[in-house]
Amino acid sequence: MRQYSADLTPPWKKPKPVPEVAAEPGLVVEEAGTGFCGAVIRCEAGTVTLEDRFGKHRVFPLEPRGFLLEGRAVTLVRPAAAPPRPTRTASGSVAVPGARARVARAGRIYVEGRHDAELVERVWGDDLRIEGVVVEYLEGVDDLPGIVAEFAPGPDARLGVLVDHLVPGTKEWRIAEAVTSEHALVVGHPYIDVWEAVKPSSVGIPGWPRVPRGQDWKTGVCRALGWPENTGAAWQRILSGVRSYKDLEPELLGRVEELIDFVTAGGGA
């Protein structure tokens, strides 16, 4: 049996199509059925919320030909979703989705201890993997001249070193001066330990305490803050407060960025 359409309306009597308009916030329209006039403040699945000049809100369905825009019938539609903003790594760099780690360069970055290495990994790990830069740690800087000599830095194998408490006139300063060359860069921050490079507010403390000379600095910090004298646990507590570069002091941020730029400028892999 042949099927017929139930719509017997002659074509010339059918309503003409009207333009579709995105219900962007701030768009002023009039609801056709009630005459309520207001600005769009929200558009969700199937509905739009208008606010009139008195601050009154009304919710209406998004129906065809349901609104008037400057006196003309329109169909409001939900605005297209905005394109996602580029995500960023913990260091603030634009993230590269799906990027693979580069084969490790011959160049290296050395840091003074395990805590330094973990902090650098927390903030710059994604960037370092894309650049193919490996971070290793020293146990102090006394052996740095021998380590640099054995590494033998060159144009395609640059060496960067991050040192704690690099202050003019100190032992660390003299060692840094002795090993710095065209292909070996030693930089540092002014803090006694990398703990201090984490902003106190990120750790939930008012400030880093002063520890009298002669005391182990990390143990003294734990005592002054009322923490258990377990420096490993204390460090994990500090590290857990670091989510991005915003949790670190500029004196450390600039030095690590400088080392990454220096090592990657060589171009060697």
Side-chain angles (χ1 to χ4, degrees):
M1 181 180 294
R2 183 177 295 177
Q3 299 293 323
Y4 294 92
S5 172
D7 185 2
L8 301 179
T9 305
W12 60 87
K13 289 189 176 181
K14 290 183 179 181
K16 294 181 180 180
V18 299
E20 293 186 347
V21 177
E24 299 285 356
L27 179 72
V28 178
V29 294
E30 178 184 342
E31 201 278 326
T34 63
F36 185 91
C37 184
V40 174
I41 61 169
R42 183 168 51 254
C43 186
E44 299 172 324
T47 65
V48 63
T49 302
L50 304 182
E51 180 183 55
D52 69 9
R53 61 193 182 94
F54 302 107
K56 184 179 180 180
H57 291 186
R58 290 280 299 274
V59 180
F60 299 100
L62 291 175
E63 295 182 342
R65 306 175 63 90
F67 299 86
L68 302 178
L69 176 61
E70 298 180 349
R72 295 184 178 183
V74 297
T75 297
L76 290 187
V77 295
R78 194 174 184 183
R85 298 179 62 185
T87 56
R88 295 188 175 272
T89 66
S91 71
S93 301
V94 175
V96 183
R100 295 183 178 182
R102 175 176 172 167
V103 175
R105 294 173 181 266
R108 291 288 187 272
I109 290 178
Y110 285 167
V111 296
E112 195 167 342
R114 181 171 59 85
H115 293 178
D116 304 67
E118 290 177 350
L119 188 60
V120 169
E121 165 61 27
R122 173 66 62 93
V123 177
W124 289 275
D126 290 338
D127 304 331
L128 292 169
R129 279 182 282 278
I130 290 176
E131 293 291 349
V133 177
V134 175
V135 175
E136 300 181 9
Y137 67 87
L138 314 166
E139 287 294 343
V141 298
D142 291 344
D143 298 328
L144 187 56
I147 292 172
V148 173
E150 182 178 355
F151 186 87
D156 295 325
R158 290 187 164 198
L159 179 62
V161 183
L162 179 69
V163 178
D164 295 341
H165 199 227
L166 192 60
V167 178
T170 61
K171 175 189 69 175
E172 292 82 4
W173 180 268
R174 291 190 292 272
I175 293 175
E177 289 285 292
V179 302
T180 297
S181 67
E182 181 182 1
H183 305 300
L185 175 66
V186 182
V187 300
H189 55 75
Y191 306 112
I192 295 174
D193 189 272
V194 77
W195 288 19
E196 279 191 298
V198 179
K199 292 180 178 178
S201 58
S202 299
V203 185
I205 59 176
W208 291 105
R210 294 184 178 274
V211 177
R213 286 181 175 273
Q215 287 190 24
D216 176 73
W217 188 84
K218 292 178 180 176
T219 302
V221 166
C222 292
R223 288 173 183 167
L225 294 175
W227 295 354
E229 294 182 21
N230 181 331
T231 57
W235 169 242
Q236 291 307 313
R237 179 173 181 171
I238 295 165
L239 188 61
S240 67
V242 178
R243 292 163 292 278
S244 75
Y245 71 97
K246 297 178 182 179
D247 296 301
L248 302 182
E249 299 289 358
E251 289 82 355
L252 176 66
L253 290 173
R255 302 294 74 74
V256 176
E257 296 284 353
E258 184 179 358
L259 289 178
I260 294 173
D261 289 344
F262 178 79
V263 171
T264 57

